[in-house]
Amino acid sequence: MSAIDFQSVCKVFGEGPKRVVALDDVCLQIGNGEFVTLVGASGCGKSTLLRILAGLETRTSGTIEAAGKLVTAPGADRAMVFQNYSLYPWLTVMENIKFPRQLAVHTRDSTSSDVEVASGRADALLQLMGLSQVEQAYPVQLSGGMQQRVAIARALMSRPKILLMDEPFGALDAQTREVMHDLILHVSRLEGCSVVFVTHDVDEAIYLGRRVVLMAPRPGRIDSVYEVPLPRERVLNMKHTPEFLALRSQILERIRDTCGMRTDLELLQRLSQQAMAT
Amino acid sequence: MWKIRGLLSQRNYWTLAAIGLAVPLVLWMTLTLSDSVNRVFLPGPLDVLHRIETWFGEDNLLDDIGISCFRVIAGWSLSALIAMPLGLLIGNFRVVQALLEPLTDFVRYMPAVAFIPLVMLWVGIDEAAKVAIIFIGTFFQMVLMVAEDVRRVPMAQIEAAQTMGATRIEIIEKVIIPSAKPALLDTLRITMGCAWTYLVVAELVAANSGLGYSIVKAQRFLQTDKIFAGIILIGVIGLATDQAFRLVHRLAFPYLHVRS
């Protein structure tokens, strides 16, 4: 049984002349514990698809099942990590990570031993994410990379079956990003949760994903799905292997084809020729 | 030195602030000491100080300050008591926003002074009337500011809570309110300033005590030194409350003042 099942999901924004089809007939199955990345040019609906799965956005038609249940609203079984500004600045790192414990969903029928377990889990996540040194710090005191570690730890606190990530490393510098890649691969394997990861960085998508789903704009849709021909265990130097590079250029080519970059280039050429002629 | 948004050391900041305050004072002093203007039109700083002294000694200055503070705080608190929950609803729910925001925007532009006859007619001429004027002057402004503070809470903070399974009540209670708190305190500080500016207007209504009333009465008797004294006292009280609010801000929200 798959962890996530999209059946003919459509999303339309606006009506009449302003009508935009953000998602057109999206079908996709994601397995238990699978790491899937969504890439595509801006406007291809990858973020919208993720947000519909999270329950933050409604769908116009179609069905989505997550962990065997129909998605109708946001839920603790589908934790999400945002690009930024999602941490609570008035709470310390530890308080942020323990935030889910303040919510009724997670404490409704908890016993005192559950509380102990939760506290142990918060400590374990702190260790795992390399945050022990900054336990009592406020988010503003941390670098962007450290802030995202806190956001990931908080998302994992309630043991979600599915982890959704919306360009979580988009605002980080390249070096920090590489560290975060290995960290998230390690953590997701350890936790055994399925991960749906949205990015516009093709390298990131291939390095992290077991499958890469390429989406195309106007209307937003799934264009193609690529199995990544790399071992499960990823190491940095795989980025230089022929398999990686071949898939990378194949995907980049396809993105250029689907987002209309080609016509733009022709126009540019024509314009510069005109400029030379005059 | 003139770099856009450049830095300035604490010492230089306060030196400049002292100069900024001292220069008008010195100008004022030399202007009055040179006898080029009539004392009735422009009393000197020493006249004003002397007036404050006699006001304190013979004219119950503390009573005037007390009753004025009471009116301002009463009108402002009443306004906060209603504006906070209402602003929270407007900022959180589009339905309430559509229902109330255009109305509030409309009323906000009506001059509070013009309500005096109506307030006298409806509320009477006792203490409640003065509080009502200050309330009218601050309330509508405050509602819109509170709503804006609530709307400024980053969507990602709210959505993160939703994906952790928070209910609507929990989101308001555990995310939106704590997130907006520093901005709300600033709104309270700024509207306190509005409340003080309406004091003189409020004390036009059949008052027989208060700083605003004293200013109006002094005007009738051409006691310009007392007008100056009243205005300066209001300024000093305002400055003191403002600083008190800033201190509370620093103590209540340490995370906004930590060095990163």
Side-chain angles (χ1 to χ4, degrees):
Chain A
M1 193 192 79
S2 49
I4 302 162
D5 189 358
F6 291 92
Q7 291 287 347
S8 309
V9 171
C10 294
K11 174 70 182 179
V12 179
F13 287 112
E15 286 168 29
K18 284 185 182 168
R19 191 183 129 102
V20 177
V21 180
L23 289 173
D24 187 28
D25 194 30
V26 170
C27 295
L28 181 68
Q29 281 79 42
I30 294 167
N32 276 314
E34 194 182 6
F35 203 127
V36 169
T37 51
L38 304 181
V39 277
S42 47
C44 68
K46 55 190 191 294
S47 275
T48 307
L49 189 66
L50 194 76
R51 290 174 57 81
I52 292 177
L53 174 55
L56 294 171
E57 204 100 54
T58 57
R59 54 188 181 271
T60 310
S61 63
T63 59
I64 304 174
E65 274 183 27
K69 275 181 293 188
L70 202 65
V71 171
T72 50
D77 53 338
R78 285 155 286 136
M80 182 137 159
V81 179
F82 298 80
Q83 186 170 356
N84 41 24
Y85 307 120
S86 75
L87 290 180
Y88 301 131
W90 62 94
L91 300 177
T92 62
V93 166
M94 193 52 158
E95 289 166 339
N96 262 288
I97 294 174
K98 281 185 173 170
F99 183 83
R101 298 295 305 168
Q102 286 195 29
L103 305 173
V105 209
H106 306 293
T107 49
R108 208 175 285 138
D109 357 77
S110 69
T111 59
S112 59
S113 75
D114 285 349
V115 175
E116 253 169 61
V117 169
S119 163
R121 175 152 179 84
D123 284 330
L125 283 168
L126 208 66
Q127 289 268 320
L128 184 63
M129 303 305 289
L131 294 164
S132 312
Q133 300 295 313
V134 294
E135 191 184 328
Q136 296 306 322
Y138 288 110
V140 282
Q141 295 171 292
L142 305 180
S143 66
M146 291 296 252
Q147 290 188 16
Q148 285 310 76
R149 287 170 191 239
V150 181
I152 294 167
R154 185 181 63 182
L156 292 172
M157 183 62 199
S158 50
R159 298 180 192 278
K161 294 190 185 68
I162 296 163
L163 183 62
L164 309 176
M165 308 188 87
D166 193 3
E167 300 197 27
F169 310 140
L172 306 182
D173 60 76
Q175 288 78 29
T176 313
R177 217 188 253 222
E178 282 188 344
V179 177
M180 295 300 281
H181 287 163
D182 290 331
L183 184 65
I184 192 64
L185 282 173
H186 178 66
V187 169
S188 68
R189 218 176 8 250
L190 211 64
E191 291 285 318
C193 53
S194 313
V195 183
V196 187
F197 190 107
V198 165
T199 177
H200 54 251
D201 180 344
V202 175
D203 287 52
E204 183 171 77
I206 299 172
Y207 188 68
L208 294 179
R210 207 179 295 171
R211 274 190 299 161
V212 177
V213 177
L214 197 160
M215 297 186 65
R218 287 179 294 273
R221 63 193 186 277
I222 291 180
D223 179 79
S224 40
V225 179
Y226 304 86
E227 291 279 343
V228 178
L230 298 172
R232 287 270 169 96
E233 195 90 18
R234 304 284 160 87
V235 284
L236 217 49
N237 59 23
M238 282 178 192
K239 287 186 182 175
H240 309 294
T241 59
E243 293 88 351
F244 187 97
L245 294 172
L247 183 58
R248 179 175 181 273
S249 54
Q250 194 185 351
I251 291 174
L252 282 171
E253 187 88 344
R254 190 65 203 145
I255 291 177
R256 258 177 248 130
D257 278 345
T258 54
C259 74
M261 286 280 268
R262 283 280 150 79
T263 37
D264 287 350
L265 279 174
E266 278 166 24
L267 183 70
L268 210 64
Q269 250 158 15
R270 266 211 311 282
L271 283 172
S272 59
Q273 273 161 9
Q274 275 172 7
M276 293 229 267
T278 54
Chain B
M1 200 175 169
W2 294 104
K3 203 177 142 205
I4 291 174
R5 296 192 182 179
L7 294 172
L8 192 64
S9 73
Q10 278 280 328
R11 204 171 125 234
N12 288 347
Y13 180 91
W14 289 111
T15 314
L16 287 173
I19 293 172
L21 289 168
V23 165
L25 192 69
V26 169
L27 276 179
W28 180 21
M29 208 130 168
T30 44
L31 204 62
T32 48
L33 286 179
S34 69
D35 271 333
S36 55
V37 277
N38 191 330
R39 283 287 169 91
V40 177
F41 295 124
L42 186 70
L46 294 175
D47 300 329
V48 174
L49 269 181
H50 184 67
R51 168 58 77 176
I52 291 178
E53 211 183 307
T54 51
W55 192 352
F56 177 75
E58 297 154 28
D59 247 353
N60 297 327
L61 172 62
L62 289 184
D63 287 353
D64 284 328
I65 291 178
I67 189 71
S68 287
C69 283
F70 165 76
R71 285 164 184 157
V72 167
I73 291 170
W76 170 85
S77 316
L78 190 66
S79 157
L81 215 62
I82 307 173
M84 287 282 166
L86 208 57
L88 192 67
L89 289 175
I90 293 176
N92 279 330
F93 301 105
R94 280 291 162 84
V95 189
V96 188
Q97 184 185 350
L99 204 64
L100 295 179
E101 203 171 44
L103 178 70
T104 316
D105 263 327
F106 173 59
V107 182
R108 185 166 69 104
Y109 280 102
M110 299 179 182
V113 192
F115 280 94
I116 291 179
L118 292 174
V119 167
M120 285 165 76
L121 209 59
W122 294 336
V123 186
I125 55 167
D126 53 6
E127 233 22 72
K130 289 121 198 160
V131 174
I133 297 288
I134 290 172
F135 174 84
I136 292 170
T138 49
F139 175 74
F140 299 98
Q141 199 75 26
M142 204 193 267
V143 172
L144 295 177
M145 286 170 81
V146 170
E148 189 55 33
D149 293 339
V150 170
R151 270 196 291 266
R152 286 236 179 94
V153 173
M155 200 57 201
Q157 287 182 8
I158 296 168
E159 289 183 336
Q162 285 178 319
T163 58
M164 287 184 263
T167 62
R168 243 173 306 178
I169 302 281
E170 282 174 330
I171 289 172
I172 292 176
E173 187 188 332
K174 294 184 159 80
V175 177
I176 293 176
I177 292 177
S179 187
K181 257 188 203 165
L184 291 174
L185 188 65
D186 275 331
T187 292
L188 286 179
R189 178 172 64 81
I190 292 161
T191 48
M192 177 65 109
C194 291
W196 274 101
T197 59
Y198 284 103
L199 178 72
V200 178
V201 174
E203 291 183 350
L204 281 174
V205 187
N208 46 28
S209 60
L211 290 171
Y213 160 76
S214 303
I215 292 171
V216 176
K217 198 177 72 173
Q219 181 190 335
R220 243 174 260 150
F221 294 101
L222 217 63
Q223 293 172 313
T224 35
D225 53 348
K226 194 162 186 182
I227 298 180
F228 267 75
I231 293 173
I232 288 172
L233 282 170
I234 291 178
V236 169
I237 295 170
L239 191 66
T241 28
D242 208 82
Q243 290 302 317
F245 267 109
R246 285 174 198 272
L247 182 67
V248 171
H249 201 280
R250 272 199 297 279
L251 295 176
F253 310 116
Y255 62 94
L256 290 175
H257 303 278
V258 288
R259 286 189 195 283
S260 46

